[in-house]
C-alpha cells in the first residue's frame, strides 16, 4: 500500500535508489509524514495505522537489516513477538513446557503500546548497542515524523512527540527494543523475588485439605453404607463418591488442595508484542502485589495498561491468550504402570489445558458473513448454518473452493496446539 506520495514499489528505479543513497550519506534525508488509515477492531473500536512512503519503506528495511542482528541475540527468551524463528506457537509451547500447577494467571495488556512508547527510551536503548550517530539521527527523524490523513485534514500531526507509527516496517523492532528493558526488569527483579530458590517439586497436599476430605466422621460411614444399599455399588465406589463430595465441599469452603508457602511459590512470564501473561503459584494477595509492581514500572516508562483486558484470574476459570483458552484442571487421573493395565496408579495432573475458543470463532465468522442464524429453531438454542459469502459470489467456483479451503486450513493450523481438536468440527 503506497503512502502519501502514492508511488508503488514497482515505480522505484535505479535513479531513485542512487538519489536516496546520496541523501543518506549527506545527511539531507528527511522522511515524509505517514498516511494515516483506520481499520476496525473486533471490539468495535478503530486501530490507527501509519503507512510510510515507498522511499521511507526502503530506508526502514535497510535499518532493520542493520539493527535486528545487533539486538536479536540480546532479547529475552520470554519475548516471542515479531522475532525470527518465533511466533505465537513458540510462546504457547513455552507455557505448555515450563508452567506447572499455576494457581493464578496475571494478564497485562498495554494500552496503545506503539503510540505511547517514549522516543528517549527507544533512542537510548539503540545507542547502547549502536554508536553510529548518523543512524540514530535517522531513526530520530522517523520517530518525530508525523502523519497525514488524506480523507480528513483536521486529523493531521506533522510532529510526533511520542510513540512509533504502527504499520511501518521498523516499528515492531523498535517496540521490542524499548520493551526489552521491561523484560530484563521482570527477569532480574520480579521473577526471582516471587520464585523459590529451591528446585521445583510437585506440590504436596495441604493438611487442611487432607483432613477435610478424609473419611472418619460417623456420618461419612452412614452415607457410604446408604450408597451401597441404594445404588448397588461396591464399597470402593461408594467411598470414592463420598470423597468426591467432601472434596467439592472443601473447595466451596476455600480450602486449598496444595500446601502453600514461600518454598512452593513460582512465577513465570511470557510476552508476545504488547500481550503479557504471568503464571503464579501462590496466594492471591501476592498476585495483587505482583500486578501492582508491574503497573508501577510500566507507568514510569510512560505506558499504561488496558484495564478491561488486564487482571488476575483463577486457573479453573482460565485465561484467553493469543486466541487460545488456557486453564488448569488439576484433577486426578489413572496412570497405568504396565501395558496390560493390571497395575494402576492415581496421579494428579500438573500441566495446563489448551483449547480453541469455539464460540468466539463462530461469532467472528457470523459477523464476517460466513454463517447465518437459523431462526426456525428456538431462539435460545438456534444454530448457525453456512451461507454464501457475498464478496466471493461472482468468482469462479474453483476459486471460491480454494479460498474457503485456505480459511479452513489456516484455522486448523493455528489451533494445532489444542488438546481436543475435535472441538473445531463445529466450525469446519
Amino acid at each position: 500500500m503506497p503512502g502519501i506520495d502514492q508511488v508503488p514499489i514497482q515505480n522505484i528505479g535505479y535513479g531513485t535508489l542512487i538519489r536516496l543513497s546520496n541523501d543518506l550519506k549527506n545527511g539531507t534525508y528527511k522522511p515524509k509524514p505517514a498516511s494515516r488509515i483506520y481499520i476496525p477492531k473486533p471490539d468495535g473500536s478503530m486501530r490507527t495505522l501509519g503507512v510510510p512512503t515507498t522511499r521511507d519503506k526502503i530506508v526502514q528495511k535497510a535499518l532493520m537489516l542493520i539493527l535486528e542482528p545487533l539486538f536479536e541475540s540480546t532479547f529475552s527468551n520470554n519475548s516471542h513477538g515479531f522475532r525470527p524463528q518465533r511466533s505465537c506457537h513458540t510462546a504457547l509451547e513455552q507455557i505448555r513446557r515450563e508452567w506447572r500447577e499455576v494457581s493464578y494467571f496475571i494478564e497485562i495488556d498495554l494500552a496503545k503500546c506503539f503510540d505511547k512508547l517514549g522516543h528517549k527510551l527507544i533512542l537510548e536503548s539503540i545507542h547502547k548497542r549502536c554508536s553510529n550517530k548518523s543512524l540514530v539521527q535517522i531513526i530520530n527523524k522517523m520517530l518525530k515524523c508525523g502523519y497525514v490523513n488524506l480523507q480528513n485534514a483536521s486529523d493531521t500531526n506533522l510532529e510526533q512527540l511520542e510513540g512509533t507509527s504502527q504499520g511501518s516496517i521498523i516499528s515492531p523492532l523498535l517496540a521490542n527494543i524499548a520493551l526489552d528493558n521491561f523484560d530484563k526488569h521482570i527477569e532480574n527483579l520480579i521473577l526471582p523475588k516471587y520464585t523459590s530458590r529451591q528446585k521445583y517439586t510437585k506440590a504436596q497436599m495441604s493438611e487442611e485439605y487432607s483432613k477435610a476430605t478424609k473419611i472418619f466422621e460417623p456420618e461419612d460411614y452412614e452415607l457410604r453404607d446408604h450408597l451401597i444399599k441404594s445404588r448397588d455399588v461396591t464399597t470402593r465406589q461408594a467411598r470414592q463418591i463420598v470423597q468426591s463430595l467432601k472434596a467439592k465441599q472443601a473447595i466451596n469452603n476455600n480450602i486449598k488442595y496444595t500446601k502453600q508457602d514461600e518454598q512452593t511459590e513460582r512465577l513465570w512470564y511470557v510476552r508476545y508484542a504488547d500481550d503479557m501473561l504471568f503464571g503464579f503459584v501462590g496466594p492471591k494477595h501476592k498476585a495483587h502485589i505482583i500486578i501492582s509492581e508491574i503497573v508501577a514500572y510500566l507507568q514510569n516508562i510512560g505506558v499504561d495498561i488496558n484495564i478491561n483486558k488486564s487482571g488476575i484470574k483463577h486457573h479453573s476459570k482460565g485465561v484467553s491468550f493469543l486466541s487460545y483458552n488456557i486453564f488448569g484442571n488439576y484433577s486426578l487421573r489413572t496412570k497405568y504402570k504396565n501395558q496390560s493395565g493390571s497395575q494402576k496408579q492415581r496421579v494428579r495432573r500438573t500441566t495446563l489445558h489448551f483449547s480453541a475458543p469455539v464460540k468466539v470463532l463462530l461469532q467472528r465468522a457470523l459477523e464476517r458473513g460466513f454463517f447465518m442464524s437459523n431462526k426456525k429453531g428456538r431462539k435460545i438454542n438456534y444454530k448457525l448454518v453456512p451461507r454464501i459469502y457475498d464478496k466471493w459470489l461472482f468468482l469462479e467456483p474453483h476459486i471460491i473452493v480454494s479460498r474457503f479451503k485456505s480459511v479452513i486450513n489456516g484455522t486448523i493450523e493455528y489451533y494445532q496446539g489444542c488438546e481436543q481438536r475435535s472441538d473445531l468440527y463445529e466450525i469446519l
Side-chain angles (χ1 to χ4, degrees), residues 243-279:
Q243 282 184 329
S244 64
L245 293 175
K246 291 178 72 68
K248 291 180 180 180
Q249 185 178 1
I251 295 174
N252 294 333
N253 294 333
N254 199 25
I255 299 176
K256 303 296 183 181
Y257 176 90
T258 57
K259 181 181 179 181
Q260 294 185 348
D261 53 31
E262 293 185 355
Q263 296 181 355
T264 61
E265 289 181 355
R266 292 288 185 278
L267 182 64
W268 295 278
Y269 163 64
V270 165
R271 179 176 69 85
Y272 187 90
D274 57 349
D275 292 332
M276 308 173 188
L277 185 65
F278 294 80

Side-chain angles (χ1 to χ4, degrees), residues 193-243:
K193 184 178 179 181
Y194 295 98
T195 300
S196 173
R197 295 183 180 180
Q198 293 188 3
K199 187 178 180 180
Y200 171 77
T201 57
K202 290 186 178 180
Q204 300 177 354
M205 182 185 297
S206 64
E207 296 180 0
E208 295 81 3
Y209 188 88
S210 177
K211 185 178 179 180
T213 57
K214 188 176 181 180
I215 298 178
F216 64 92
E217 298 290 343
E219 54 266 23
D220 297 334
Y221 292 104
E222 293 178 1
L223 178 58
R224 183 198 63 180
D225 296 337
H226 175 73
L227 290 172
I228 294 173
K229 295 179 182 180
S230 61
R231 297 191 181 182
D232 191 22
V233 296
T234 63
T235 303
R236 183 178 180 180
Q237 291 174 338
R239 184 182 181 86
Q240 291 177 350
I241 294 173
V242 175
Q243 282 184 329

Side-chain angles (χ1 to χ4, degrees), residues 27-192:
T28 57
Y29 168 74
K30 185 177 180 180
K32 294 184 179 180
S35 176
R36 169 163 283 195
I37 60 175
Y38 294 88
I39 59 175
K41 297 173 66 175
D43 58 0
S45 60
M46 304 297 289
R47 185 191 304 274
T48 59
L49 293 181
V51 182
T53 62
T54 304
R55 293 176 78 253
D56 295 337
K57 289 179 183 178
I58 296 173
V59 177
Q60 290 182 14
K61 185 63 178 179
L63 291 173
M64 188 172 177
L65 294 175
I66 297 173
L67 294 177
E68 191 173 66
L70 292 176
F71 286 92
E72 178 60 30
S73 60
T74 65
F75 284 156
S76 168
N77 290 328
N78 297 317
S79 171
H80 296 264
F82 306 113
R83 295 181 58 187
Q85 307 300 324
R86 289 175 180 260
S87 63
C88 297
H89 290 149
T90 60
L92 295 166
E93 180 60 27
Q94 180 179 345
I95 296 174
R96 186 195 308 275
R97 183 180 64 253
E98 299 178 1
W99 298 20
R100 291 291 183 272
E101 292 188 307
V102 173
S103 303
Y104 295 97
F105 294 104
I106 302 175
E107 293 181 278
I108 300 291
D109 184 82
L110 304 184
K112 298 181 179 180
C113 172
F114 288 88
D115 299 333
K116 294 296 183 180
L117 289 175
H119 292 173
K120 184 179 179 180
L121 176 63
I122 297 174
L123 295 175
E124 288 179 352
S125 301
I126 294 175
H127 186 68
K128 290 179 181 179
R129 300 286 301 176
C130 181
S131 58
N132 191 319
K133 294 183 179 180
S134 60
L135 187 144
V136 177
Q137 290 176 356
I138 293 174
I139 297 175
N140 185 31
K141 291 179 181 179
M142 287 185 172
L143 292 173
K144 291 183 178 180
C145 184
Y147 58 86
V148 174
N149 190 340
L150 299 177
Q151 298 179 352
N152 184 4
S154 61
D155 184 20
T156 299
N157 184 8
L158 299 180
E159 185 178 3
Q160 199 163 341
L161 302 178
E162 61 179 2
T164 174
S165 178
Q166 187 173 1
S168 65
I169 296 175
I170 200 173
S171 60
L173 177 60
L174 297 180
N176 274 335
I177 292 174
L179 291 177
D180 186 61
N181 297 319
F182 173 78
D183 296 336
K184 298 297 191 296
H185 173 77
I186 295 296
E187 294 173 354
N188 298 331
L189 296 178
I190 303 297
L191 295 185

Side-chain angles (χ1 to χ4, degrees), residues 272-333:
Y272 187 90
D274 57 349
D275 292 332
M276 308 173 188
L277 185 65
F278 294 80
F280 180 57
V281 180
K284 189 174 183 179
H285 73 273
K286 282 198 174 182
H288 284 287
I289 297 174
I290 293 172
I291 195 172
S292 63
E293 293 181 359
I294 295 170
V295 172
Y297 180 84
L298 289 172
Q299 289 178 346
N300 288 335
I301 62 175
V303 180
D304 296 326
I305 67 169
N306 190 336
I307 299 177
N308 297 328
K309 296 182 180 180
S310 304
I312 301 171
K313 291 185 179 180
H314 192 260
H315 69 84
S316 60
K317 295 182 180 179
V319 67
S320 177
F321 183 65
L322 300 180
S323 295
Y324 269 73
N325 289 335
I326 308 175
F327 58 96
N329 182 14
Y330 311 125
S331 57
L332 292 172
R333 60 188 178 91

